[in-house]
Every structure is written in C-alpha cells, then in structure tokens.
Amino acid sequence: MVSNGLDTAGKQIRMFRTFIPPEGMTEAKARKAAMLEAERFEADVKADRISERLKFGVYAEIWMRDYCRESVAPTTYDRNRIAIDQLMSVFGHLYLDQLTPLQIQRGYMTIKKNGYTKGGIHREYSVQTIRRLHQVLSSSLSTAVRWGKMPENPCNRVVLPRDSNPDKSVKSLTDDETDSFLRFLEEPYAYVVTRKNGQEIKGTKMLPLQYRIFLKLVIFGSFRREELIPLKWSDIDQNSCTITIRRAAARVKDQGLVIKDTKTKGSRRSVTIPKELIEELQELKRWQDKLRYDCGTKWEGNDENWVFIQSLGKMMDLSSPNKVMRETIKRYNASHEDQLPQINIHGLRHTSATLLIANNVDIRTVSARLGHSNTSTTMNIYAHALRKKDQEAADVLAAIFEKK
C-alpha cells in the first residue's frame, strides 16, 4: 500500500498493488522480489503514473473505441474485437497494474486449455492463436503506456509457448504441378444438370474467362486475392503490360464487402504481366462490354468499371475465387492420376513467389512484386525456398572443389 495524498474530503488516498511470487521461488528471493516491486510501485505512484486504477475490461473498451476505431483498418478492428473478447475472459477483472508477466502467462495457458468445441470434440487453441492474442494484448498495453496508464508494458517480459510444429508453410504447387494446372484451365470439362422433373442435361463447357484470367494473374503477377477483386480497367496499362494496385477489398462485420486502402504502402505497386495475359484481358473487356449492353438498365456495375464482376456488373464477391479454385482442383484430381494439393488463392500466390525464387529472380524483385514493405518480410515467409537455393549454392561450390 502507498499513500497518494488526500482526496477532496481530506481523506488519505491509498493505492494498492498485489504481488504474487513465481512458483518455486525461495522465501528469501520472494521477499526481495516483493520489496523491489513495492519500490517500483511507490515510484509509479509518486510519478503520477497510476493516478487512476482501471480494470483491463474497462480499459480494453476504451482502447477499442478511442484507438482502434480511428487508427486501424476495419478488418483489423474486427480481428482485434474477437481477440479482446477472448482476453477479457481471463484478464477483464484485473486492474492494469495487476497485469504482471506471470499473470499474463498463466492467463494464456488458461485460454489455451479452455480451447473450443468443434463437432462435439474439445480442442485446445494452437500456439499460433495464443501468439495472435499476445500481439493484440501487447498492442493495447503499449497504448496504455503512451497514455500514461501504465509505467511499462508487461508483455515485453512474457515468455510465449513454443510451437511444436513451426514448419507449417503454406501449401503451393511445384513447377510441374503449376504447368499441369495452367493447361487444365484451358480444357473443357463435362457437366450434368438435373432438372426438377428428373431429366439430365449433359454437355461440356469451359471455366469462364474471367476466372481463368484471375487465377493466371495470381500466378504471373503474385497478386493478393483482395487486390484483384476491386481491380478496375483503368488500372491496366496495355501498352506497358502493367497492372497497378491502388486499393483492396475486405469483408467487414455489419458492412459487408468494402473497399479499403492497400495492406501496406509497398502494396501500392505496378507489376508487369505477360503480353498474352493482356490479350486475354482485352478479350474479357469485349465480352464485358457486350454483357453490359445486353443488360441495359439492369446493369448494376454503375460506372465503377470493375474487371472481375458478378452477373449484372457488381464487383466479384471475395469468396468466389477460392470457391472456383477448390472446384477446379477437385475436377483435376477426379480425372488425373497425378493429384494436385488442395490449395487456395493464397497458396497460388505462394506458388508464384516460390517459383520466382527457384528460378533465381533476386529477392528484391520478388519482394516488390509481392507488395511487401521490405525484403526481410519476404525472406522470413519464404525461408524454406531460400534454404533450398542456399543448398544449391553449396553444391555448386562443392562441385568446383571436386573437379580440382
């Protein structure tokens, strides 16, 4: 307990902090640690760093309202909201000054063990989930430090659990698999439609051109799904064979599909694509112009001029490309002995980057095409591909010495 002056009624203001020594600490060490904590607490009170005690539950709502709502993207706000709700279950009743590194670590273990139930089966939360929660908690408490509500961020001294399986790289296609996939996109496939009266109508058809182009652009341009969805015809320069990314799409709770700024400043970029894809885009534009003319007043695209659209001109839904991707790979695997891994659009982008690295494209160029803010991000994500190239480099040097 530390005295913090008198209130308006002339009564002494008393401030309290609870210290719980870590398990296994000797009595002498616990007593010394408690004295150090008491000294730190008294210094905080005298420096007016703990002028108002806030419970984490109250503070978290203030942080969401006054910081997150104004400073982060809508999708990030939604993710933070989910994380804060989980953190509230173990930290909501604690005052900010009670959030010690030990208390936080214990809270994480509780959340992990409580887990969730899916299909009637109880599962613990993964280490990745705990790490994501830690990022949100640390961000919120860093703001508390800046606002003068805490002297330091206790998350900086938290030891996070280790991932027992750290190598969980995103699935991607190999060189041969990518070639097979691209060839399959251009092949017609059989379909069967059953009418209400039981009559079956059989035939063959091609995957719609706009979906074929979308999937190719991910491979040949390394684009994100949310970058291609709001692409406009004005973003395509046919003369220089480049596509400029200026915006991104996101699904936000209570708002639906919205247009937002790109993920990072580096994401705003121009990427060169093969001339053959420009020609296919020209064909798509002619088809779309005819569709717009045929729709007449029913056209819902207004003057947005989206490249990828729904049946009446609205921007393509964010979920459509992954759905088409799943169906395409399913059809391929049903008709071929060699099987393709079931990957999504993100896996296709991952394929693009991995193939570029495998074919000796320098990391700075790969990073720029991916829209990463810096090359270190690219190197961290694609460390597995870079390790393989490093091994190849070692083999080349070994071969030189063998010749001697």
Side-chain angles (χ1 to χ4, degrees), residues 50-87:
I50 309 181
S51 56
E52 178 186 9
R53 293 191 84 198
L54 281 177
K55 286 189 175 181
F56 176 74
V58 174
Y59 167 75
E61 293 299 337
I62 295 173
W63 181 69
M64 289 295 299
R65 182 193 66 207
D66 295 347
Y67 174 77
C68 290
R69 192 174 295 280
E70 302 297 328
S71 305
V72 304
T75 48
T76 303
Y77 179 89
D78 286 348
R79 286 195 294 269
N80 286 356
R81 177 74 269 174
I82 293 171
I84 285 296
D85 289 343
Q86 288 182 284
L87 292 166

Side-chain angles (χ1 to χ4, degrees), residues 157-202:
R157 292 187 283 139
V158 170
V159 179
L160 294 173
R162 289 186 177 182
D163 190 351
S164 58
N165 185 20
D167 188 19
K168 292 183 178 179
S169 55
V170 179
K171 290 181 180 179
S172 60
L173 302 180
T174 64
D175 196 338
D176 291 339
E177 288 171 343
T178 304
D179 183 62
S180 297
F181 177 77
L182 289 171
R183 289 177 184 275
F184 186 68
L185 288 181
E186 304 303 324
E187 297 176 5
Y189 62 92
Y191 71 92
V192 178
V193 175
T194 304
R195 290 183 171 178
K196 291 182 179 179
N197 60 6
Q199 180 187 4
E200 289 187 346
I201 299 177
K202 298 181 180 180

Side-chain angles (χ1 to χ4, degrees), residues 210 284-300 309-314:
Q210 68 167 348
L284 178 64
K285 184 67 166 66
R286 290 191 291 271
W287 169 85
Q288 194 180 109
D289 287 343
K290 183 179 183 303
L291 176 65
R292 182 171 186 167
Y293 177 81
D294 293 341
C295 287
T297 57
K298 293 182 179 179
W299 183 257
E300 298 176 352
I309 61 173
Q310 299 180 41
S311 59
L312 295 177
K314 282 186 177 181

Side-chain angles (χ1 to χ4, degrees), residues 15-138:
M15 308 291 289
F16 297 87
R17 174 177 290 179
T18 301
F19 173 74
I20 303 174
E23 293 181 5
M25 182 177 283
T26 64
E27 184 178 346
K29 288 184 176 181
R31 190 179 298 110
K32 184 177 181 180
M35 290 177 65
L36 289 172
E37 186 67 23
E39 291 174 3
R40 187 183 295 114
F41 178 53
E42 184 174 4
D44 291 342
V45 172
K46 289 181 178 179
D48 199 31
R49 290 192 288 260
I50 309 181
S51 56
E52 178 186 9
R53 293 191 84 198
L54 281 177
K55 286 189 175 181
F56 176 74
V58 174
Y59 167 75
E61 293 299 337
I62 295 173
W63 181 69
M64 289 295 299
R65 182 193 66 207
D66 295 347
Y67 174 77
C68 290
R69 192 174 295 280
E70 302 297 328
S71 305
V72 304
T75 48
T76 303
Y77 179 89
D78 286 348
R79 286 195 294 269
N80 286 356
R81 177 74 269 174
I82 293 171
I84 285 296
D85 289 343
Q86 288 182 284
L87 292 166
M88 290 273 207
S89 65
V90 291
F91 302 130
H93 65 289
L94 297 174
Y95 287 99
L96 291 181
D97 56 70
Q98 292 177 317
L99 289 174
T100 63
L102 176 62
Q103 191 71 46
I104 293 172
Q105 285 182 208
R106 286 174 175 172
Y108 288 161
M109 291 305 298
T110 299
I111 293 174
K112 186 175 186 297
K113 290 179 179 178
N114 287 346
Y116 61 99
T117 301
K118 185 176 181 180
I121 301 175
H122 177 266
R123 293 180 172 88
E124 286 192 359
Y125 280 118
S126 66
V127 171
Q128 286 77 19
T129 297
I130 299 303
R131 287 180 176 273
R132 284 195 293 270
L133 292 177
H134 179 72
Q135 289 175 347
V136 174
L137 180 62
S138 181

